[in-house]
Every structure is written in C-alpha cells, then in structure tokens.
Amino acid sequence: MKISWYNRLYVGDKAKKKRYRIIQGIRKGKPGLDIYVITPASNGNNILDIYPAAEIISPFYKEKEFFIVGIAADYWEALEVAGRVIHDLYRKTEGFNLSDFLNRSR
C-alpha cells in the first residue's frame, strides 16, 4: 500500500494533540483504534471517503494507493473534518471539484 499525504492536512481538534503519533502509527502500519482518515472518493459519485485507519492497512488494500487529506481521532470528528474540507472546497472554488481544489493548494 502506498500512502501520500496532503501538504495542508486537515486534522480534527482531538487528533491535533496526537497528530505526529497518528501519522507515524499509520506509516508503521499500527494506527491505533478509533483513528480515521479522510481521502478523495474512490468512485465518481462522492467527494470524500472516510476509512478507519486500521482498515487501510489490511491485506485487502495492499495494492491500493491512498492520498490522505485529513485525520481524526474518532468517527464523529472525521465527519467534522470532512465537513470542513467540503466547506473550504466550495468556498474557494464555488464548486465541488476536489482534485482542482487539492492541486491549487499544493
């Protein structure tokens, strides 16, 4: 599995306190419980996907590439972080083209 990170990573309030521990845990394949990652959607019908971090390190996703745009310390925080991404996306682009938004911000 290949993981890349958004250079302006969105981080939930609870996750901020342990941001580096969360990132290192994901990189080492030991993300911890209740950690969630937000990625661009894997299909064309949605804008974002929310995954438990433990799921993306499973053998099922071994060949998949992930571009992580946000991290959160629990599911509800992941929803808040995803909402913030969508809010910024629409505010800056007046639309919902996530790839344009992410490329502008790189």
Side-chain angles (χ1 to χ4, degrees), residues 3-6 13 15 18 20 22 26 28 36 39 52 59-61 69-70 76 80-82 96 104:
I3 295 176
S4 52
W5 300 83
Y6 182 47
D13 291 336
K18 44 190 174 178
Y20 295 105
I22 290 170
I26 292 170
K28 293 178 181 180
Y36 287 81
T39 67
F60 181 78
Y61 293 108
V69 298
W76 295 107
E80 291 172 4
V81 172
F96 294 104
R104 285 185 197 178

Side-chain angles (χ1 to χ4, degrees), residues 1 3 5 18-33 35-37 52-58 68 71:
M1 158 192 54
I3 295 176
W5 300 83
K18 44 190 174 178
R19 172 187 176 152
Y20 295 105
R21 194 169 2 138
I22 290 170
I23 292 170
Q24 288 304 318
I26 292 170
R27 286 183 175 151
K28 293 178 181 180
K30 299 177 182 179
L33 299 174
I35 302 300
Y36 287 81
V37 296
E55 185 176 327
I56 68 169
I57 63 166
S58 72
I68 298 176
I71 57 174

Side-chain angles (χ1 to χ4, degrees), residues 6-10 40 47-48 67 69-70 81-106:
Y6 182 47
N7 62 352
R8 295 182 181 180
L9 187 69
Y10 285 83
I47 299 172
L48 298 170
F67 180 61
V69 298
V81 172
R84 226 174 35 216
V85 173
I86 299 299
H87 177 265
D88 289 351
L89 164 65
Y90 189 76
R91 188 173 48 84
K92 290 182 181 177
T93 67
E94 295 183 358
F96 294 104
N97 188 332
L98 185 64
S99 61
D100 282 351
F101 171 72
L102 295 176
N103 288 330
R104 285 185 197 178
S105 301
R106 283 188 179 183

